[in-house]
Amino acid sequence: MSNMTGGNARIQFVFNAHLPFVRFPQYEDFLEERWFFEAMLESYLPMVDMLDGLKKDNIPYHCSWVVSPTLVSMADDELLKKRFLKYVQRQLSLVEKEKKRCGDQEEYYPIVCFYEERFQKSLQTFNRFDGSLLQAWSSLAQGGEGLELIPTAATGVFLPLYRSCPQVVRTQISCGLANFRDKLAGYNPKGFWLPFCGYFPDLEYYLQEEGLQYTFLSTSALSGEQGMADPNSYKIFQNKEGFEFFPVSRLLLERVLDQQMGYSTHPVYRDFYRDIAFELPLEDIGDYALHHGERVPTGLKYLASTGKTQQKDIYRPQRAHEQAREHAQDFVENLVNVAKELSVTNNVTPVMTCALDVEFFGHWWFEGVTFWDQAFRSLHNFKNMTACVPSSSLGIIKTRTEIAPSFASWGEDNYAQVWLSDKNDWLVRHFYVLVERMTELAQRFDERAGLRKRILDQAAREVLLALSSDWPMLLHNGSNEKFALDQIRRHFANFYKICDGLSSNEVYVDWFIGLEKQDNIFLGKNFTYKAFTLEKLPSPDSGERRN
């Protein structure tokens, strides 16, 4: 393979790991908790194992992981760890049952054995790091040479919706950082991920107050994406005070993410939707495919994507993973060509930033983990193309372009309609009232140890969980709408019941203890309800900052 010529290009892969906080200890088996179990088994642990394998082979794996507080809290929860192990054992039990059923079927038996090996491997990775995803991340980030961990907002709030409500913006940032530092002691972050790259003018000043040095922007916050080799997409930008912005170009990922022509649509890859829960008679899979009488996915899928037809080919794992490696090679060569064009024709040192959701790989695109393993290995062959983490790019490239970015996101049409559509816009006024009530409580009660502080802290947790952007997103997408509404209503009801108890000086102790046990996020020493009393920054419209 020929080495790239021209200037040294830098490529930054940012993997965003986030799930909504779902935890119901009062139920033996709560369906939506499986979102976390599936992501652990199919995405997080295989990706950790992949990076660990690169580390052992001395292949540079410089990349970043955005670790959301909701995911971190679930990954560090002993109850959910035990339930995850139970889930894996159930999957392996189903595999054993399927091996017996498919024993004389030459086409299907190897696929079942493949799943068994894959599940066992994830279980081994889980055990190798003592059941701690946090320990795995910390190990891979050790010394700052490989993985860079990046904090984000407390519950993934789409921050532009709250430009006129600074308490939300500052609380989401400060509580997100507090949780990060509590869970990953000794790790001092330099950057911050804005959920969905949601930016409004002057948002970076909230980050600068926390000592942070950089964040990421959708390229639409600059001048818009003009093409694969638009140099504005591959520069580092800064504001007047030197805070830095890395533009995230979605065009670089078209070959990966495009729903019509992207790599993941190749016919040899596994068909995500053709699960045996919906293919086999219930007498063959029994309780494994049922939840309260309804069929639910088992995770075992034996058919390939094939194309737009109901007549699917048998899934052949080895061929599919070979194809993933070929696609990875093509992806890297494409990145190198873009970087070469920018380097030679525009006389710039490109800093190319690709940001992706971790859950897409291994879960939605089953072969995606193999893709990234090969991508890092291929990239290692190009001397003038360096995979790096964002903090290592700070101050390296001398030329900086000063900008004042505009409102943008990486959501639909680079705007806010996912969180402010006709299916969910009615929520916003209720969220504002909720925050106003919480702010009143925070200002009214002095902070002191004891039961009252516990109650007020729990009130703040319920507000943060209610504001999660996952709920309006589910409503907008028409997916799990009932669950999303139930969660919003539950957090609202919990908060107002706490308010009533504080007003009447009557605490429902048994109920409150149960609530503490269920919504047990943000338990670190740095969390306090007083976050909602943070003072306002000067108004962006007042001219106090930019003039």
Side-chain angles (χ1 to χ4, degrees):
M1 184 183 299
S2 60
N3 287 325
M4 170 185 157
T5 59
N8 290 318
R10 300 171 70 82
I11 180 74
Q12 302 178 156
F13 296 115
V14 182
F15 295 101
N16 180 35
H18 168 73
L19 286 175
F21 186 80
V22 180
R23 184 178 182 278
F24 285 84
Q26 65 270 42
Y27 299 104
E28 275 297 314
D29 180 20
F30 196 81
L31 183 61
E32 283 76 14
E33 284 184 353
R34 294 192 191 185
W35 295 347
F36 172 64
F37 304 150
E38 290 170 355
M40 282 283 287
L41 185 62
E42 299 176 355
S43 297
Y44 304 143
L45 291 171
M47 286 288 282
V48 163
D49 187 63
M50 180 270 291
L51 293 174
D52 198 40
L54 293 171
K55 181 179 181 180
K56 290 174 182 174
D57 292 343
N58 294 314
I59 302 292
Y61 58 94
H62 304 292
C63 62
S64 305
W65 273 48
V66 179
V67 290
S68 79
T70 49
L71 172 59
V72 167
S73 295
M74 290 190 293
D76 197 39
D77 185 86
E78 292 302 321
L79 173 67
L80 291 179
K81 287 181 187 179
K82 290 177 182 177
R83 289 187 171 182
F84 170 69
L85 285 174
K86 184 178 178 181
Y87 173 79
V88 177
Q89 293 301 330
R90 181 182 172 88
Q91 294 299 98
L92 289 170
S93 176
L94 174 59
V95 164
E96 281 299 315
K97 184 179 179 65
E98 279 295 281
K99 282 172 70 176
K100 292 177 182 177
R101 188 184 68 84
C102 299
D104 58 351
Q105 299 181 42
E106 197 172 303
E107 312 170 291
Y108 293 107
Y109 187 78
I111 308 176
V112 182
C113 293
F114 169 79
Y115 278 116
E116 180 179 42
E117 182 181 348
R118 189 177 178 92
F119 294 160
Q120 290 282 12
K121 195 170 185 180
S122 287
L123 183 58
Q124 289 167 8
T125 303
F126 183 80
N127 291 330
R128 185 164 76 250
F129 292 103
D130 297 324
S132 173
L133 198 55
L134 276 64
Q135 182 180 318
W137 287 332
S138 297
S139 172
L140 292 166
Q142 203 167 36
E145 294 300 317
L147 188 67
E148 178 166 74
L149 302 177
I150 300 175
T152 186
T155 51
V157 165
F158 184 67
L159 296 173
L161 288 187
Y162 298 95
R163 183 180 182 182
S164 61
C165 192
Q167 305 97 302
V168 172
V169 179
R170 299 189 76 178
T171 302
Q172 282 284 327
I173 292 170
S174 64
C175 290
L177 282 169
N179 186 80
F180 186 91
R181 289 166 176 149
D182 281 329
K183 296 291 187 179
L184 297 156
Y187 197 93
N188 187 34
K190 295 181 180 180
F192 193 88
W193 175 261
L194 301 174
F196 315 102
C197 286
Y199 176 84
F200 62 81
D202 293 321
L203 176 53
E204 69 270 21
Y205 289 94
Y206 291 93
L207 304 177
Q208 284 184 270
E209 283 190 338
E210 297 285 354
L212 298 164
Q213 300 176 48
Y214 72 84
T215 192
F216 304 90
L217 291 177
S218 165
T219 49
S220 55
L222 308 172
S223 57
E225 298 185 62
Q226 300 171 18
M228 287 292 291
D230 174 15
N232 286 326
S233 298
Y234 311 121
K235 293 178 181 178
I236 301 178
F237 294 85
Q238 64 181 16
N239 67 5
K240 289 183 178 181
E241 288 77 17
F243 184 89
E244 302 198 353
F245 302 98
F246 294 105
V248 174
S249 175
R250 302 296 275 179
L251 285 175
L252 285 173
L253 296 168
E254 269 193 328
R255 298 188 184 201
V256 180
L257 301 176
D258 188 86
Q259 294 182 358
Q260 302 300 321
M261 302 295 291
Y263 295 134
S264 62
T265 64
H266 195 281
V268 303
Y269 290 145
R270 189 187 76 164
D271 191 311
F272 174 79
Y273 297 100
R274 297 295 292 269
D275 192 286
I276 64 170
F278 311 107
E279 304 286 328
L280 298 179
L282 284 179
E283 55 264 27
D284 287 340
I285 46 178
D287 294 338
Y288 294 101
L290 289 176
H291 186 271
H292 296 304
E294 294 187 12
R295 294 195 186 217
V296 294
T298 66
L300 300 189
K301 309 164 199 292
Y302 300 158
L303 300 177
S305 177
T306 309
K308 294 182 178 180
T309 173
Q310 290 300 309
Q311 300 301 315
K312 303 292 184 178
D313 294 334
I314 301 297
Y315 177 60
R316 306 192 185 283
Q318 184 176 350
R319 178 68 191 96
H321 287 268
E322 286 173 0
Q323 183 62 61
R325 284 185 277 271
E326 290 177 20
H327 277 153
Q329 185 70 39
D330 179 74
F331 175 67
V332 170
E333 289 177 1
N334 181 59
L335 289 179
V336 169
N337 288 335
V338 171
K340 181 177 179 180
E341 181 182 346
L342 288 164
S343 179
V344 174
T345 63
N346 297 292
N347 194 28
V348 297
T349 301
V351 180
M352 308 162 74
T353 303
C354 297
L356 315 99
D357 292 330
V358 178
E359 299 79 18
F360 181 72
F361 305 100
H363 181 60
W364 294 101
W365 181 19
F366 189 60
E367 300 78 11
V369 179
T370 298
F371 172 89
W372 283 113
D373 180 70
Q374 185 61 45
F376 281 109
R377 293 177 189 276
S378 297
L379 196 60
H380 185 48
N381 294 320
F382 291 92
K383 291 183 179 179
N384 289 6
M385 186 77 165
T386 304
C388 61
V389 296
S391 63
S392 71
S393 296
L394 298 174
I396 294 294
I397 299 172
K398 301 304 178 185
T399 57
R400 292 288 192 276
T401 302
E402 188 176 298
I403 57 163
S406 58
F407 168 41
S409 80
W410 75 354
E412 282 180 37
D413 299 326
N414 301 310
Y415 206 57
Q417 63 193 47
V418 171
W419 306 276
L420 200 64
S421 70
D422 58 357
K423 296 180 180 179
N424 55 31
D425 58 1
W426 57 273
L427 286 169
V428 176
R429 66 181 184 273
H430 295 290
F431 288 154
Y432 268 73
V433 172
L434 191 71
V435 172
E436 184 180 352
R437 289 293 303 275
M438 184 65 234
T439 303
E440 290 172 358
L441 290 181
Q443 292 172 339
R444 176 181 166 192
F445 292 101
D446 294 332
E447 187 171 23
R448 63 184 69 173
L451 179 60
R452 192 169 72 184
K453 182 181 185 305
R454 284 171 55 191
I455 292 171
L456 288 162
D457 281 347
Q458 194 62 41
R461 292 186 189 102
E462 298 303 319
V463 172
L464 291 171
L465 290 169
L467 293 177
S468 171
S469 288
D470 295 292
W471 314 137
M473 181 184 292
L474 290 174
L475 293 177
H476 174 79
N477 294 337
S479 171
N480 297 93
E481 296 163 279
K482 182 180 183 304
F483 177 70
L485 283 172
D486 286 347
Q487 287 294 86
I488 293 169
R489 288 167 178 155
R490 186 174 72 83
H491 295 308
F492 266 76
N494 291 338
F495 173 77
Y496 284 114
K497 190 167 183 176
I498 288 173
C499 288
D500 291 343
L502 289 168
S503 297
S504 62
N505 203 27
E506 181 180 358
V507 179
Y508 310 99
V509 177
D510 291 342
W511 171 83
F512 176 73
I513 291 174
L515 181 60
E516 271 191 322
K517 289 179 178 178
Q518 178 170 357
D519 294 341
N520 64 346
I521 194 171
F522 308 127
L523 296 180
K525 62 182 179 181
N526 292 315
F527 181 80
T528 172
Y529 70 94
K530 282 292 184 180
F532 279 92
T533 63
L534 292 172
E535 301 251 344
K536 278 189 179 183
L537 287 168
S539 168
D541 301 320
S542 69
E544 293 180 55
R545 280 184 254 157
R546 282 192 171 160
N547 293 339

